Amino acid sequence: MSKRVYGQYCGFARALELVGERWALLIVRDLLVGPKRFSDLQRGLPKIPSNILTSRLKELEEAGIVQRRLQPRPSNGVFYELTEVGNDLEDAVMALGRWGAQRLGEPRPGEIVTEDAMVMALRTTFQPEAAGRTRASYELRLGDIVINAKVANGRASVVAGPLPGADLIIETGPAVRMLLAREVTPEQALKKKLVRITGDPKLLDRFVRMFRIG
Amino acid sequence: MSKRVYGQYCGFARALELVGERWALLIVRDLLVGPKRFSDLQRGLPKIPSNILTSRLKELEEAGIVQRRLQPRPSNGVFYELTEVGNDLEDAVMALGRWGAQRLGEPRPGEIVTEDAMVMALRTTFQPEAAGRTRASYELRLGDIVINAKVANGRASVVAGPLPGADLIIETGPAVRMLLAREVTPEQALKKKLVRITGDPKLLDRFVRMFRIG
DNA sequence: CTGGATCCCTCACGATACTG
DNA sequence: CAGTATCGTGAGGGATCCAG
């Protein structure tokens, strides 16, 4: 990493030296959702070669962004988690994600959706002002990916996994992007079967007001 | 660029595909300050090989982030400027710059400070809440780099160049980082001759309250 | 199974030189 | 000024192998 240097005394350049390498910020993105083991990261980043993952993790660890933790029992093994410094990258990751989401377009052949990406996408698109005093919980299903979001007090908590008792269950696919980007209305999306819901349709209206692209 | 792909249908991954290549975001950083010609960019990024600059500019243009403009007279030639899409990267650049500035430390041997980097650094560190109703103008000199900042209505306009009639002139060097990071107080900085001012010292206190790292 | 290490191959990157 | 041309290197990609 010491060779990949920009030669500028500048915070932004320094940031790129630390996390600008290929794959590095995607690893951070997944770790922002929660600690993970090596193989979890591989699953979330199917196209990363294992040697690259190894060296990125080592670099991120040396940079003080990630730390290894030996899990006791059960589930012995090594876990990787963000340090506080690493967690501070959240703002930057969300800002870039927000920008990218606006230019996402339709999925390209072979592109996959992962659980962590979806969690971060929802966190990224959350609009606190639009939430107001809303209090609602959602379970969002995309294929076999299930995540959930709880909105309260103008904040959203988005994590992986199902949420029994959610106010609304939304079943959808990659077309959910069109919904969040308001290229279709909730009505249209339901009619065109881009989404299927279990619960009060009004909660879907609220959802697209609180989580949106652009 | 089409080969350097992450295979994920995710806004953040898409963003990295568009601007994640080495040097790309540094070019964007400089263009956020204003349109530039090829040689201006080279001057601001002394370590970038010209062929790399060429191909990055081409990629950024194809991605709709940068546009070439043929300048009529005077100063015939090609100018590069950000499109609106490119300008929308400002939030992300500032967020990353803010993170990096906190881990900047002391300059490494051979590291340089450029005008554009300094302009963006000041924009990045501006804290609107701390500005309040302040109305002040500053000229900041680092070696032969001169930039200026005007603060009014809770907003700061930071651009390159001198500002005749500025309320305060601050002459300093890379040690300005310690000041913005509040590792030294303005008093100490003046006493240790890390900065020299022309104008009311109270304006320096205001300055470090409005522009700060961390 | 997890958590890597090792090998090889290729192409993108980087340095330098040169040109319309 | 605004780039090409050329060429060497090494990081990234992909497969395979191995230890606990």
Side-chain angles (χ1 to χ4, degrees), chain A residues 89-107:
Chain A
L89 278 165
E90 182 164 17
D91 286 349
V93 168
M94 303 236 281
L96 244 192
R98 221 168 282 130
W99 181 84
Q102 292 179 26
R103 350 216 104 60
L104 195 47
E106 293 308 297

Side-chain angles (χ1 to χ4, degrees), chain B residues 2-72:
Chain B
S2 57
K3 216 41 185 309
R4 223 72 169 175
V5 145
Y6 292 107
Q8 304 212 352
Y9 186 59
C10 156
F12 185 68
R14 188 62 35 99
L16 289 180
E17 289 172 4
L18 293 172
V19 296
E21 299 293 321
R22 191 161 159 71
W23 295 107
L25 278 177
L26 285 175
I27 294 170
V28 170
R29 179 200 65 184
D30 283 8
L31 290 180
L32 278 168
V33 176
K36 296 209 160 28
R37 35 174 93 220
F38 194 88
S39 46
D40 296 331
L41 289 166
Q42 282 189 304
R43 214 168 305 121
L45 272 17
K47 299 195 59 163
I48 193 174
S50 63
N51 56 346
I52 301 293
L53 179 54
T54 300
S55 54
R56 286 294 170 277
L57 284 171
K58 194 174 303 175
E59 291 160 4
L60 290 171
E61 192 186 352
E62 283 167 6
I65 294 164
V66 160
Q67 55 189 306
R68 289 169 59 106
R69 192 160 39 88
L70 289 165
Q71 198 70 349

Side-chain angles (χ1 to χ4, degrees), chain A residues 19-191:
Chain A
V19 296
E21 299 294 320
R22 194 162 157 70
W23 295 108
L25 278 177
L26 285 174
I27 294 170
V28 170
R29 179 199 66 185
D30 283 9
L31 291 180
L32 278 168
V33 176
K36 299 211 156 27
R37 36 175 91 219
F38 193 89
S39 47
D40 296 331
L41 288 166
Q42 282 189 303
R43 215 168 303 120
L45 272 17
K47 299 194 62 164
I48 193 174
S50 66
N51 57 344
I52 301 292
L53 179 54
T54 300
S55 53
R56 286 293 170 278
L57 285 171
K58 193 173 305 176
E59 290 159 4
L60 290 171
E61 192 186 351
E62 282 166 7
I65 295 164
V66 160
Q67 55 189 307
R68 290 169 59 107
R69 193 160 38 88
L70 289 166
Q71 197 68 352
R73 288 165 312 127
S75 79
N76 293 31
V78 185
F79 273 72
Y80 296 89
E81 63 185 359
L82 293 178
T83 62
E84 202 187 321
V85 167
N87 248 306
D88 287 344
L89 278 165
E90 182 164 17
D91 286 349
V93 168
M94 303 236 281
L96 244 192
R98 221 168 282 130
W99 181 84
Q102 292 179 26
R103 350 216 104 60
L104 195 47
E106 293 308 297
R108 301 203 282 236
E111 281 190 332
I112 63 165
V113 177
T114 70
E115 189 173 87
D116 292 331
M118 206 49 221
V119 169
M120 285 309 294
L122 265 201
R123 292 187 188 174
T124 293
T125 54
F126 180 65
Q127 315 278 334
E129 327 78 60
R133 323 178 47 75
T134 301
R135 186 174 199 92
S137 62
Y138 298 91
E139 181 174 299
L140 188 63
R141 304 182 186 163
L142 283 98
D144 51 353
I145 295 172
V146 183
I147 70 177
N148 69 80
K150 292 185 255 191
V151 178
N153 307 319
R155 300 165 57 101
S157 136
V158 185
V159 296
L163 180 64
D167 300 327
L168 184 70
I169 298 175
I170 307 175
E171 292 177 88
T172 179
V176 70
R177 195 208 107 252
M178 299 178 65
L179 193 63
L180 300 185
R182 283 153 302 152
E183 294 172 9
V184 297
T185 67
E187 283 179 288
Q188 293 169 328
L190 285 167
K191 198 183 304 176

